[in-house]
Amino acid sequence: MSITDLARPSAGVPAAVTTALAPLAPALPPSPASSSLQQQLLRGLEAPICLTWEWTYACNLQCVHCLSSSGRRDPRELDTAQMRSVVDQLAELQVFYVNVGGGEPMTRPDFFEVLEYSVDHGVGVKFSTNGGMIDADKAHRLAALDYVDVQISLDGADAMTNDPVRGLGSYDRARTAMGHLADAGFGAFKLSVVVTRHNVAQLDSFAALAADYGAELRVTRLRPSGRGQDSWTRLHPTAAQQRDLHSWLIARPEVLTGDSFFHLAAYGQALPGLNLCGAGRVVCLIDPVGDVYACPFALHEHFRAGSVLDEGGFARVWRSSDLFTELREPDNPGACTSCGHYDACQGGCMAAKFFTGLPLDGPDPECVLGHGEAALSAVNPNSLPIIDNDHSKRRRLPLAVL
Amino acid sequence: MTGMTPVGAQEDAPTSAAPTPAHALARPSGASFDPARPYRLHPKVALRPERFGALAYSYDTRRLSLLRDADLVAVVRALADAPSAGDALAAVPAVKRAAVERALARLVETGFVQPR
């Protein structure tokens, strides 16, 4: 995640409220965040603003672009007592809320127990779900909780577009879940879409669909992480689509992006948001076994900073792990820093570079100036990083093969 | 730099289309600031100390603000026990008092700080 979900003006908020303001510099533009603010954030915070916490690797779906290669539960996953202990640690650090994902977090038998424990301790929960386990009862239970927000994932505005990516029947199940939430009076949940080559032309349809349910639309960037490493080449938007996407988003500041398209700022106009890579500085990830990674899109040993089970717990990893300390140092000179657009795109997404085999100080694979395409053509496919944290279900061979 | 920088609304901030009960509460107050009146931090706002001042998070609006000045943070914390906002502001060095007052007024408008 990049910085995630903060820096978005929202539809009901007058523009003036979301204007960045600093009394001594009243002329600051609303976005991107002022450079001094950006510098402060890049040096790191006392605790993350946005923490992604994956609750399980188990999933009832097998999406072809799953960032965390989820499918099977890991036997080492934190038990209920350990989950509560992590909540206690986060509450102590005043982490205001967590972005919960997986896997499918609702597959945990203690899902509501941990959810309620977290909320009761002042750690709000926004969780992502495919909706397959939200029935009428669960929708009412969710609607009754304060500080809980729900994101339903859908990657096509129709089943024909969605199901090849997320699995047969997943479109209908998500729509059913959306109906249950609306009927239960949950309010403005979010419809969360990963933008692909095949659904980018459906953005208006997604917006209409969200509006039908009183939901908000959230669109995020496809990353080549996890199973996405295999599917990214055929799913990521083309250069022309990326340009259209930028224009579409600029015209619709009410659409949420989790700040995930900051690499598009190099077109010349930044989208609302902090527009920086927050890895290890303002965001990080705790995985289902308690490992802490710098970036929610890079569950790989290369980005693992420690474990919540280590002495000192999460706070020690956040404050003094070698990896996080290194990430907070000023940028090293690299191929990108000499580019005139570096200040706009900040070199792009670390995870996107890593999993496509590009150097971390080089261009983003989807660099809008085209530097990524050139660099990608020079990558030896055999040199790509191995996905070392794969929980995919073992493939079932068709009977004919057996 | 003195000031408060709302880094923007949370994703689940209110929309005019479909306010839920929780979200309806979350609307910016739109209140105007009067230094003669008493104020307090909104009971559903948490302040977290940071190197540059503090982060404020509203569990109501799901909005986050950066309070980028130690004096502003001190004033906000002092409000609840001060007879008026002006009394809390009196502790700020005169040279920056006006700037801190403007930042405080924004916190009132955005609902992070409310009259009591």
Side-chain angles (χ1 to χ4, degrees), chain B residues 3-27:
Chain B
M4 167 195 88
T5 304
V7 266
Q10 282 303 314
E11 294 210 320
D12 37 16
T15 65
S16 49
T20 63
H23 291 149
L25 287 173
R27 291 177 175 282

Side-chain angles (χ1 to χ4, degrees), chain A residues 16 21 44 47 122 149 187 216, chain B residues 4 11-12 20 48 51 59 106:
Chain A
L21 64 118
D149 300 303
E216 291 179 276
Chain B
M4 167 195 88
E11 294 210 320
D12 37 16
T20 63
R48 184 171 96 197
R51 194 162 30 199
Y59 287 93
R106 295 293 302 191

Side-chain angles (χ1 to χ4, degrees), chain B residues 23-104:
Chain B
H23 291 149
L25 287 173
R27 291 177 175 282
S29 71
S32 60
F33 175 66
D34 175 359
R37 293 189 57 185
Y39 288 86
R40 65 172 180 174
L41 192 63
H42 190 287
K44 288 196 169 177
V45 170
L47 278 187
R48 184 171 96 197
E50 290 288 349
R51 194 162 30 199
F52 51 80
L55 268 177
Y57 180 71
S58 168
Y59 287 93
D60 256 1
T61 63
R62 319 289 217 258
R63 288 168 61 90
L64 192 75
S65 277
L66 276 76
L67 278 56
R68 296 162 68 192
D69 181 83
D71 286 316
L72 174 61
V73 178
V75 167
V76 168
R77 290 193 188 279
L79 285 174
D81 296 322
S84 72
D87 289 299
L89 283 162
V92 178
V95 63
K96 62 192 279 197
R97 196 174 300 147
V100 171
E101 181 171 333
R102 282 197 295 274
L104 181 59

Side-chain angles (χ1 to χ4, degrees), chain A residues 27-49:
Chain A
L28 281 179
S31 67
S34 72
S35 62
S36 71
L37 169 60
Q38 206 170 48
Q39 289 310 312
Q40 282 168 335
L41 295 175
L42 288 173
R43 289 207 306 271
L45 297 168
E46 294 298 313
I49 295 178

Side-chain angles (χ1 to χ4, degrees), chain A residues 11-368:
Chain A
V13 181
V17 174
T18 52
T19 300
L21 64 118
L24 300 181
L28 281 179
S31 67
S34 72
S35 62
S36 71
L37 169 60
Q38 206 170 48
Q39 289 310 312
Q40 282 168 335
L41 295 175
L42 288 173
R43 289 207 306 271
L45 297 168
E46 294 298 313
I49 295 178
C50 293
L51 174 79
T52 298
W53 185 8
E54 314 279 48
W55 280 8
T56 180
Y57 282 117
C59 195
N60 46 346
L61 296 184
Q62 284 282 288
C63 304
V64 300
H65 57 357
C66 180
L67 296 166
S68 55
S69 302
S70 285
R72 289 173 293 126
R73 181 182 173 277
D74 191 307
R76 302 166 299 157
E77 288 182 7
L78 303 181
D79 63 24
T80 308
Q82 289 170 319
M83 296 287 281
R84 287 169 174 255
S85 154
V86 173
V87 171
D88 293 342
Q89 293 180 40
L90 300 180
E92 171 81 24
L93 284 171
Q94 279 194 278
V95 171
F96 304 120
Y97 66 91
V98 287
N99 297 302
V100 166
E104 170 52 58
M106 295 186 76
T107 61
R108 279 191 72 107
D110 58 3
F111 172 79
F112 276 100
E113 184 180 347
V114 180
L115 182 67
E116 284 161 6
Y117 186 84
S118 187
V119 168
D120 288 346
H121 286 73
V123 181
V125 174
K126 303 178 174 195
F127 77 96
S128 295
T129 174
N130 54 50
M133 299 179 74
I134 298 182
D135 56 18
D137 283 349
K138 291 201 172 79
H140 278 101
R141 199 163 171 189
L142 290 168
L145 286 168
D146 256 349
Y147 311 153
V148 170
D149 300 303
V150 182
Q151 292 181 177
I152 305 279
S153 302
L154 204 55
D155 293 334
D158 49 51
M160 201 191 302
T161 311
N162 177 81
D163 287 8
V165 172
R166 302 189 56 83
L168 199 61
S170 60
Y171 178 85
D172 288 339
R173 287 197 290 275
R175 289 290 301 267
T176 301
M178 291 164 69
H180 286 315
L181 287 173
D183 292 347
F186 182 87
F189 64 90
K190 287 179 257 309
L191 171 59
S192 191
V193 176
V194 173
V195 179
T196 68
R197 191 170 300 183
H198 308 296
N199 69 20
V200 69
Q202 301 179 326
L203 289 171
D204 286 323
S205 303
F206 283 119
L209 185 61
D212 280 349
Y213 290 91
E216 291 179 276
L217 177 61
R218 176 179 194 264
V219 301
T220 55
R221 185 177 177 191
L222 174 76
R223 305 283 199 313
S225 316
R227 285 197 293 274
Q229 193 184 39
D230 293 330
S231 54
W232 183 82
T233 305
R234 62 191 155 90
L235 287 184
H236 78 89
T238 64
Q241 288 175 332
Q242 212 172 216
R243 177 119 223 166
D244 292 344
L245 170 65
H246 181 251
S247 304
W248 193 87
L249 289 170
I250 288 286
R252 289 166 189 81
E254 74 279 9
V255 174
L256 309 162
T257 65
D259 213 12
S260 72
F261 294 106
F262 65 90
H263 69 296
L264 301 183
Y267 281 130
Q269 188 177 357
L271 299 167
L274 293 177
N275 284 291
L276 53 81
C277 163
R281 294 127 161 186
V282 298
V283 308
C284 70
L285 174 138
I286 302 174
D287 90 339
V289 304
D291 285 342
V292 181
Y293 294 89
C295 165
F297 307 115
L299 284 79
H300 188 279
E301 184 60 30
H302 192 82
F303 299 103
R304 200 182 77 89
S307 165
V308 298
L309 302 176
D310 294 345
E311 193 179 336
F314 175 78
R316 185 151 164 194
V317 177
W318 176 262
R319 288 177 180 153
S320 52
S321 65
D322 292 343
L323 176 63
F324 284 14
T325 304
E326 187 188 323
L327 285 169
R328 291 165 192 165
E329 284 166 2
D331 287 325
N332 297 316
C336 265
T337 46
S338 60
C339 172
H341 297 268
Y342 182 79
D343 285 344
C345 84
Q346 297 278 318
C349 172
M350 188 173 74
K353 294 186 236 192
F354 181 75
F355 288 109
T356 51
L358 297 180
L360 296 186
D361 60 1
D364 187 288
E366 293 180 291
C367 165
V368 303

